[in-house]
Amino acid sequence: MKKLTLVQAACLLACGASLSTAQAQQGLQGNSPSTPEIIVTASRSEQVLQTAPVGATIITRAQIESAGVVDANEAIRKIGGVAARSDLNGGRDYKLDLRGFGETADQNTVVLVDGLRISENEQTMARLSSISANIIERIEILRGGSSVMWGEGATSGVINIITRKDKAKGLQGSVGAVAESYGGIDANANLRIGSEKSVVDINARSAASNGYRDNGRFTQDTASIGFNRVDGAMSIRTRLSTEHSMNRFPAGLNYAQNLANPRQTTTPNDWGNLKQNTLNAGIDYRLGAWTAILDMGFKNRVTESAFPSLGSALATRSSNTVQATPKAVYKGDVGGVALNATLGADVQTWRFHGDNVPDATFAQVTRNGSQSNHAWFAMSDWLFATQTRVVAGYRRELVSKSAQDIGGANTVNALNNKLN
């Protein structure tokens, strides 16, 4: 094999760099007819994936339809290749793990719908199984630390689910059903009514399974209605969603029990219910190179559970979450340099109350908790004519948490934390 001199090696590297620069420029200008544009919002403003300063996995609507998945959780696992652990409650919300965090994976991943958080403060998983595949336009999976742009809990990455906003003139609809073993069924229906500027979509889904184990029945009913309108420089969107699910808990088995009958239950009367309502809304207004954006969300969750096998009474938990994200986005040229800049704020409050909630010793206590997040962030992406790119971001966030447990003997333990 012929050895290269230092000069020859330098020439080859220079040629390779020139070729890479030319290919990058072609991608930035969108001149490649074989590569369709894919929009990504991982940097908190819409950019073409091929030229965005982030690496993301995009699950498109076409992929979702061809794969036949029924909800967001299944799409992320089967199409996005995200590792997951089974839902030990017998439901459809497999625990997603972007970067090997194990049991704490859900607390290190920010999950969003249309840019608004649905990650939970009460250390439970975001309920992605309640998001029907019918309403999804695309899913963005961003692996790697993203705390600068998305704040607390984004250590392993971000999952952003974008709902459909495409125009649909006239009346469109679809129905589908899937039959499964152990009495399982998953049925859905979708209706879209559109005009020149507006579209309304109505979705309903019902899933149920008796489960492999005795006392392992699961049911989940979800519905949503969305409205989108684009009128000149202004666009508005809103979506109201509701979910009601029921789980029976068969509990674990030891080796001897599993050997005797792997389908038996040791807790035939344990159960849990969940009711959740969410309302998201947003408005965009474009003025030249500037776009003003306001996203708002509200979520109410109520759960009930009973564990007679442990001697515990009916436990109820309720929580309310309110959030708002105002942003200003600039896309244009500054002195011949392409600039994409975002300046915004994240405001979120969470309130929790629980009665007869078992503690670590299964004693019945009343629990109250709250958390407030106030942050502002800035990001700038500069692209020079030489194809040199400079991306810089900054975030400042104040997190205030408080928790209170009131035991049967009127013992009060309170915790207050403030992080800046």
Side-chain angles (χ1 to χ4, degrees):
M1 180 180 294
K2 183 179 179 181
K3 294 183 179 181
L4 297 177
T5 65
L6 183 61
V7 175
Q8 289 173 323
C11 290
L12 286 175
L13 288 174
C15 291
S18 300
L19 179 59
S20 299
T21 301
Q23 291 173 335
Q25 184 175 7
Q26 184 182 41
L28 290 168
Q29 295 172 349
N31 292 332
S32 176
S34 61
T35 306
E37 283 191 354
I38 299 176
I39 302 300
V40 63
T41 58
S43 59
R44 304 207 72 156
S45 65
E46 289 190 351
Q47 290 182 276
V48 178
L49 176 61
Q50 289 87 337
T51 61
V54 296
T57 300
I58 306 299
I59 302 174
T60 65
R61 174 154 187 80
Q63 291 176 306
I64 292 173
E65 291 177 344
S66 63
V69 296
V70 295
D71 57 51
N73 190 288
E74 188 177 16
I76 293 168
R77 289 184 289 113
K78 293 186 176 181
I79 306 174
V82 176
R85 298 186 180 189
S86 296
D87 185 348
L88 296 180
N89 292 331
R92 308 285 177 101
D93 274 306
Y94 287 66
K95 178 179 287 189
L96 304 172
D97 192 346
L98 284 183
R99 301 183 69 200
F101 277 79
E103 287 300 321
T104 63
D106 52 310
Q107 300 303 308
N108 287 280
T109 303
V110 169
V111 183
L112 313 114
V113 174
D114 292 328
L116 287 172
R117 276 179 177 253
I118 62 170
S119 301
E120 304 298 344
N121 297 79
E122 52 258 46
Q123 295 186 345
T124 58
M125 296 179 295
R127 297 191 61 81
L128 294 177
S129 68
S130 65
I131 304 174
S132 173
N134 288 329
I135 69 172
I136 300 174
E137 179 60 33
R138 70 180 184 274
I139 301 175
E140 304 171 3
I141 303 172
L142 180 63
R143 294 173 172 85
S146 303
S147 297
V148 170
M149 296 308 297
W150 299 104
E152 183 189 31
T155 306
S156 68
V158 176
I159 298 174
N160 191 10
I161 300 164
I162 310 298
T163 58
R164 295 183 64 179
K165 301 175 183 64
D166 53 318
K167 296 180 181 179
K169 293 184 179 179
L171 182 65
Q172 301 177 5
S174 65
V175 294
V178 177
E180 304 170 349
S181 56
Y182 305 108
I185 188 170
D186 196 320
N188 65 82
N190 169 260
L191 181 66
R192 295 173 62 80
I193 307 170
S195 64
E196 186 68 29
K197 296 181 179 180
S198 305
V199 61
V200 176
D201 67 87
I202 304 171
N203 301 269
R205 177 170 169 244
S206 180
S209 174
N210 291 326
Y212 176 74
R213 300 276 305 283
D214 296 334
N215 194 41
R217 182 164 176 78
F218 160 80
T219 64
Q220 182 183 45
D221 298 308
T222 63
S224 72
I225 179 169
F227 172 76
N228 293 280
R229 179 177 176 83
V230 178
D231 190 357
M234 180 178 293
S235 63
I236 59 175
R237 56 198 173 276
T238 183
R239 182 170 298 277
L240 175 65
S241 304
T242 183
E243 176 192 3
H244 183 199
S245 65
M246 181 277 291
N247 293 78
R248 305 290 298 187
F249 303 138
L253 300 176
N254 59 35
Y255 178 77
Q257 292 169 331
N258 183 76
L259 194 62
N261 179 8
R263 299 188 63 179
Q264 68 174 302
T265 176
T266 57
T267 56
N269 299 313
D270 291 2
W271 58 272
N273 288 339
L274 176 144
K275 295 180 180 179
Q276 179 172 289
N277 299 302
T278 61
L279 175 62
N280 292 343
I283 182 170
D284 299 0
Y285 185 80
R286 293 172 174 80
L287 182 62
W290 288 92
T291 303
I293 304 171
L294 175 62
D295 291 311
M296 299 168 290
F298 170 78
K299 178 173 63 179
N300 168 259
R301 169 184 282 188
V302 178
T303 63
E304 297 177 326
S305 62
F307 297 90
S309 60
L310 299 173
S312 62
L314 174 67
T316 62
R317 305 169 180 82
S318 63
S319 64
N320 292 306
T321 305
V322 180
Q323 57 184 313
T325 299
K327 294 182 295 183
V329 178
Y330 177 85
K331 293 182 180 180
D333 290 337
V334 177
V337 180
L339 172 62
N340 186 342
T342 303
L343 177 65
D346 286 325
V347 180
Q348 183 185 55
T349 61
W350 170 78
R351 298 289 183 270
F352 172 85
H353 175 76
D355 289 320
N356 294 325
V357 179
D359 63 9
T361 62
F362 289 96
Q364 310 301 302
V365 300
T366 296
R367 289 182 170 174
N368 297 301
S370 65
Q371 177 173 324
S372 63
N373 294 54
H374 298 84
W376 71 269
F377 56 89
M379 190 279 293
S380 62
D381 176 13
W382 301 82
L383 182 61
F384 296 84
T386 59
Q387 303 306 310
T388 301
R389 181 170 227 149
V390 178
V391 180
Y394 179 81
R395 182 183 187 92
R396 180 180 175 83
E397 183 165 8
L398 175 66
V399 181
S400 178
K401 299 182 180 181
S402 66
Q404 183 185 63
D405 288 356
I406 305 176
N410 295 323
T411 301
V412 178
N413 297 313
L415 171 66
N416 289 277
N417 286 330
K418 285 189 177 182
L419 303 175
N420 190 359

